[in-house]
Amino acid sequence: PPIDVNYRMAYVGSVTLVDAAGNALRTLRYGADARSDPAELAVRIQKDLERIVHLRGPLDITIVQDGASELDVLPATLAKSDVLRACPRHELVDLNHALDYLRDVVRECEPDGDPHSMVEWYRAALLNDEDGVDRVLRGLRYRRARARGPKSTQAKEALTDAIRYVGKRRKKMRYAPHWSANRVVGSGATESAAKVMGARTNLSGARWDVPGLRGMLTRRGLVT
């Protein structure tokens, strides 16, 4: 018989331990169903970080997420921890999420094929210049003010979206000092966690009730 298929956003998180050169040593993965409070997931991450610090001593912590406002719960939760207060904490917007907006600008404003390699210019400016985000933002505003021609409407829309995204998150997009210190600037480990969780929960024909899904997400995190 016919069934309804509903897709709901779920939450994933990860904690990756890296060495001084920035190489990943181990990743812990977490998943939560759509009905869960993301604050509960943040507390799980907090408790594991506290245990790691208890075993190893204070560590440098970098929080890398996309720009969604509901994800502010993670840094807010970690800031309340007495154990983690001694750890230097840095908060960044995932580099690839930022570049997605700039790729849209390149697609609408540059000739086909990006012959001037503007995507790479944006990436290099953000990674190698502490004030690179300011240069990028000035350039976007300059281009929007001078957008002309048959594609100007689409170009202005892409530029406006990028200006809004970058302008709101500028303080979390100063990547250069973190990049030079071998800190993580991308959320690849968390994207990987989403795929690892989805590979088990999104099997063809699979349907879940809430307790079963929560149990499977927890088990999947432990096994991997």
Side-chain angles (χ1 to χ4, degrees):
I3 61 170
D4 290 331
V5 178
N6 299 296
Y7 294 92
R8 299 182 179 90
M9 182 177 69
Y11 294 96
V12 296
S14 66
V15 172
T16 299
L17 305 177
V18 300
D19 62 18
N23 300 308
L25 302 174
R26 183 184 181 188
T27 296
L28 311 178
R29 300 180 177 93
Y30 310 81
D33 65 283
R35 298 186 187 184
S36 295
D37 183 348
E40 297 175 359
L41 186 61
V43 169
R44 290 165 58 190
I45 292 173
Q46 170 203 330
K47 290 185 179 300
D48 278 349
L49 282 173
E50 289 175 344
R51 178 61 177 166
I52 293 168
V53 169
H54 175 73
L55 294 172
R56 300 297 302 272
L59 298 173
D60 193 275
I61 298 174
T62 304
I63 305 168
V64 186
Q65 304 184 108
D66 69 32
S69 59
E70 66 265 24
L71 301 183
D72 291 343
V73 67
L74 179 59
T77 299
L78 301 187
K80 296 175 183 177
S81 169
D82 292 333
V83 175
L84 302 180
R85 196 161 291 152
C87 300
R89 290 193 308 279
H90 320 278
E91 190 175 350
L92 298 174
V93 168
D94 168 52
L95 176 65
N96 286 319
H97 277 86
L99 286 176
D100 280 344
Y101 283 85
L102 299 174
R103 291 187 187 102
D104 289 342
V105 169
V106 170
R107 185 170 57 251
E108 297 298 341
C109 300
E110 296 292 327
D112 291 343
D114 188 17
H116 303 112
S117 301
M118 284 303 298
V119 172
E120 284 306 310
W121 184 90
Y122 285 130
R123 185 176 187 276
L126 292 172
L127 288 179
N128 299 320
D129 181 357
E130 187 170 354
D131 297 321
V133 64
D134 301 316
R135 292 168 54 203
V136 168
L137 194 56
R138 285 196 300 269
L140 295 172
R141 288 169 173 162
Y142 180 89
R143 298 195 71 161
R144 184 176 63 176
R146 286 156 181 79
R148 302 288 188 275
K151 291 183 64 177
S152 62
T153 299
Q154 298 95 311
K156 285 183 177 180
E157 288 178 358
L159 287 161
T160 298
D161 288 344
I163 290 168
R164 184 183 300 117
Y165 187 89
V166 174
K168 185 177 180 180
R169 299 163 178 83
R170 187 183 341 191
K171 292 181 180 179
K172 300 178 184 179
M173 292 178 62
R174 300 193 184 279
Y175 300 104
H178 305 284
W179 180 249
S180 63
N182 294 320
R183 297 190 186 106
V184 175
V185 298
S187 59
T190 304
E191 302 293 342
S192 173
K195 292 181 180 178
V196 168
M197 295 296 180
R200 179 63 183 86
T201 61
N202 299 349
L203 297 173
S204 179
R207 285 180 283 174
W208 301 89
D209 59 19
V210 173
L213 179 58
R214 288 179 177 173
M216 183 52 67
L217 288 170
T218 303
R219 188 175 188 179
R220 183 72 164 166
L222 291 171
V223 167
T224 60

